[in-house]
Amino acid sequence: MAELRTIKVFDTTLRDGEQSPGNSMNIDEKLRVAKQLQKLNVDVIEAGFPIASEGDFEAVKRVAQSIKGPEIAGLCRANDKDIDRAWEALKYAGEKGRIHTFIATSDIHMKHKLKMSPAKVLEAAVKAVRRASSYTPNVEFSCEDAVRTNLKFLAEVVEAVIDAGATTVNIPDTVGYTIPFEYFNIISHLKQNVPNIEKAVISVHCHNDLGLSVANSIAAIQAGAGQVECTINGIGERAGNCSLEEFVMAIRTRHDILPFRTNVATEQIVPASRLLSTITGISVQPNKAIVGANAFAHESGIHQHGVLMEKSTYEIMTPESIGLKTNILVLGKHSGRHAFKKRLTELGYEFSDDDLNKAFERFKALADLKKEVYDEDLDAIVADEVMRSAEKFKLSHITVTCGSFAVATATVQMEIDGTSVRTAELGDGPVDATLKAIKKLSKSKARLMQYNVGSITGGTDAQGEVTVRVSEGDQTVVGRGSSTDIIEASAKAYINALNRLHFKSERLHESL
């Protein structure tokens, strides 16, 4: 077998991934994801866009101060103010801090968005890299919309920014437009026509608008790229980014034709996927590659027979290789605090003593209701209890009356900014009445766009999981709640969405 070339994994879940609708995270949530990315052993964590808001700046700063191992990157436009602000946050990472600056290079972007000539764009790119290089030698430059850029001009820009000090040059498929053989040819062209290309690492950043982000990323490393930019669960703008788990496991599984490796600790993939879903409230679809609920499920009799005889007949990788335990039953009502804390730590969660106490109380209450407590139940406990500490709206209790010949009535008590309020509403059913009462108490003008109910685990004692999509103005968020009582889960999901709307509104206000 040929010697395996190491590909750097640049994770942008906290920057590009967080920009997609419903994926906004607060500072503490970003830090929790960053700590899991540290366990995943990615090479670079892009922690945010420091100039975007005070919240983004503080998040990048906290990550730079707290995370050891991976490099910490911050995105900035090609201007002095952005670059200075980025380094102000990144400096705490020392030599691990990476300034990532960019400007668009395609004709369509230069003409309609930037309204700049190619010469002016080239000048701005070089100036930005020089400015960034005055702070750190760890500078990445991106040619936004590179795949729709004139190849001669693209090569000219890449050569110039490397001369100016860029040690990584990113050739992004910003709009998910390219296909594998074309992308291979673009990277090959740069390798052959940029005289100083060996002085920098070629990076690629692929979007999934045509469903080709992983395939394009693989084509790029085959042509000589040395870094791939990706996200957990493939989240990101529009149709998302190259999925980290899919890319990493593709090259790990196919060493026979792909002579590459990464430094990723693949056993941390499932914990990372679950943590992100818990924080954002957006679950992956069951048939999602690698981390979907059905990825290692076999229903066909022929498949079941084959797997029982020899797993490799229908499984090209083991569940254990991505951190999926064969037996996911972990705790019950007789389990103690030490075992509970140990399992949560294994799942990627870290808590203060107060937060751990809240989670443990909820666990004991759930264990009294359920015979079996699964990892997915623990994820839901964390989502419902631990992350509620700083929220504007909190649910106190609900009382619902309903029946075949009765009008559904819900009495809801909440805390809003620490003040207890209560009301009752009628509705077409118990969920409708409950959400009406919450909306009345919160004085929200938000519209419920989508309401989905699912079961976290099997059995009639399973926790129900409710996901809602709520819109107000031009803001859309996803809320998630869980409980063995589906009405309570619905209330929690709706309140979670209202809190996310409030957080986004505050963040927007900060940036103005």
Side-chain angles (χ1 to χ4, degrees), residues 353-386:
D353 289 341
D354 285 345
D355 284 343
L356 181 64
N357 288 337
K358 292 177 187 177
F360 186 68
E361 288 175 11
R362 171 68 188 278
F363 158 71
K364 295 298 280 187
L366 179 62
D368 283 335
L369 297 173
K370 286 173 59 70
K371 294 179 181 179
E372 302 172 341
V373 179
Y374 294 86
D375 288 351
E376 292 89 343
D377 293 315
L378 300 181
D379 290 331
I381 288 172
V382 172
D384 280 351
E385 295 298 321
V386 178

Side-chain angles (χ1 to χ4, degrees), residues 284-324:
V284 297
Q285 72 269 27
N287 63 328
K288 167 76 165 66
I290 314 301
V291 293
N294 294 346
F296 291 92
H298 305 278
E299 185 171 341
S300 162
I302 295 173
H303 287 212
Q304 290 174 346
H305 176 71
V307 169
L308 288 172
M309 298 299 291
E310 169 54 51
K311 286 186 176 182
S312 63
T313 54
Y314 288 100
E315 289 185 355
I316 59 173
M317 66 194 86
T318 67
E320 292 80 7
S321 70
I322 60 167
L324 190 63

Side-chain angles (χ1 to χ4, degrees), residues 18 20-26 29 32 275-282 383-384 387 391-393 468-470 472 475-481 492-508:
E18 198 228 7
S20 56
N23 282 333
S24 293
M25 301 176 228
N26 61 35
E29 289 168 342
R32 288 177 62 209
L275 175 62
L276 185 64
S277 290
T278 298
I279 287 175
T280 63
I282 300 177
D384 280 351
M387 294 190 294
E391 293 178 339
K392 179 180 178 67
F393 306 107
V468 299
R469 185 174 292 272
V470 171
E472 184 174 9
Q475 303 287 347
T476 300
V477 299
V478 172
R480 183 178 177 184
K492 288 180 175 180
Y494 193 57
I495 289 173
N496 180 247
L498 295 181
N499 279 310
R500 289 179 182 276
L501 278 176
H502 175 70
F503 170 68
K504 290 191 80 168
S505 176
E506 294 252 306
R507 183 174 171 181
L508 182 63

Side-chain angles (χ1 to χ4, degrees), residues 192-479:
Q192 296 163 11
N193 292 279
V194 176
N196 57 0
I197 195 66
E198 298 304 325
K199 294 181 180 179
V201 174
I202 298 176
S203 180
V204 291
H205 177 117
C206 296
H207 279 262
N208 205 41
D209 298 71
L210 295 175
L212 294 170
S213 58
V214 174
N216 286 332
S217 298
I218 291 172
I221 63 172
Q222 288 177 308
Q227 176 178 282
V228 169
E229 306 190 4
C230 45
T231 60
I232 300 298
N233 294 343
I235 67 169
E237 292 273 14
R238 304 181 313 280
N241 289 271
C242 172
S243 162
L244 180 147
E245 59 274 8
E246 293 177 23
F247 171 76
V248 168
M249 294 309 293
I251 64 174
R252 172 173 167 160
T253 303
R254 294 308 309 274
H255 282 328
D256 55 328
I257 59 172
L258 297 173
F260 312 107
R261 64 176 299 276
T262 71
N263 293 317
V264 169
T266 61
E267 295 78 11
Q268 291 294 327
I269 283 175
V270 166
S273 172
R274 287 178 175 171
L275 175 62
L276 185 64
S277 290
T278 298
I279 287 175
T280 63
I282 300 177
S283 301
V284 297
Q285 72 269 27
N287 63 328
K288 167 76 165 66
I290 314 301
V291 293
N294 294 346
F296 291 92
H298 305 278
E299 185 171 341
S300 162
I302 295 173
H303 287 212
Q304 290 174 346
H305 176 71
V307 169
L308 288 172
M309 298 299 291
E310 169 54 51
K311 286 186 176 182
S312 63
T313 54
Y314 288 100
E315 289 185 355
I316 59 173
M317 66 194 86
T318 67
E320 292 80 7
S321 70
I322 60 167
L324 190 63
K325 300 292 187 290
T326 302
N327 181 0
I328 60 173
L329 175 62
V330 290
L331 297 168
K333 68 179 182 179
H334 300 297
S335 299
R337 190 183 305 267
H338 178 74
F340 176 72
K341 181 179 180 180
K342 182 176 184 296
R343 185 59 191 140
L344 287 181
T345 301
E346 290 171 352
L347 291 173
Y349 299 116
E350 295 181 17
F351 305 109
S352 66
D353 289 341
D354 285 345
D355 284 343
L356 181 64
N357 288 337
K358 292 177 187 177
F360 186 68
E361 288 175 11
R362 171 68 188 278
F363 158 71
K364 295 298 280 187
L366 179 62
D368 283 335
L369 297 173
K370 286 173 59 70
K371 294 179 181 179
E372 302 172 341
V373 179
Y374 294 86
D375 288 351
E376 292 89 343
D377 293 315
L378 300 181
D379 290 331
I381 288 172
V382 172
D384 280 351
E385 295 298 321
V386 178
M387 294 190 294
R388 292 169 54 190
S389 58
E391 293 178 339
K392 179 180 178 67
F393 306 107
K394 293 185 179 182
L395 179 66
S396 298
H397 67 256
I398 308 169
T399 301
V400 175
T401 58
C402 60
S404 301
F405 300 101
V407 177
T409 306
T411 302
V412 176
Q413 185 165 320
M414 295 171 58
E415 283 186 21
I416 301 179
D417 290 327
T419 301
S420 183
V421 292
R422 182 180 180 181
T423 193
E425 283 289 318
L426 304 177
D428 292 335
V431 172
D432 183 51
T434 300
L435 299 195
K436 279 182 177 178
I438 294 170
K439 188 168 185 177
K440 181 178 179 180
L441 290 173
S442 65
K443 297 180 173 61
S444 172
K445 297 179 181 178
R447 291 188 303 134
L448 180 63
M449 310 295 291
Q450 190 174 346
Y451 173 87
N452 295 312
V453 182
S455 171
I456 292 177
T457 54
T460 56
D461 63 350
Q463 288 196 92
E465 180 179 64
V466 174
T467 304
V468 299
R469 185 174 292 272
V470 171
S471 177
E472 184 174 9
D474 59 354
Q475 303 287 347
T476 300
V477 299
V478 172

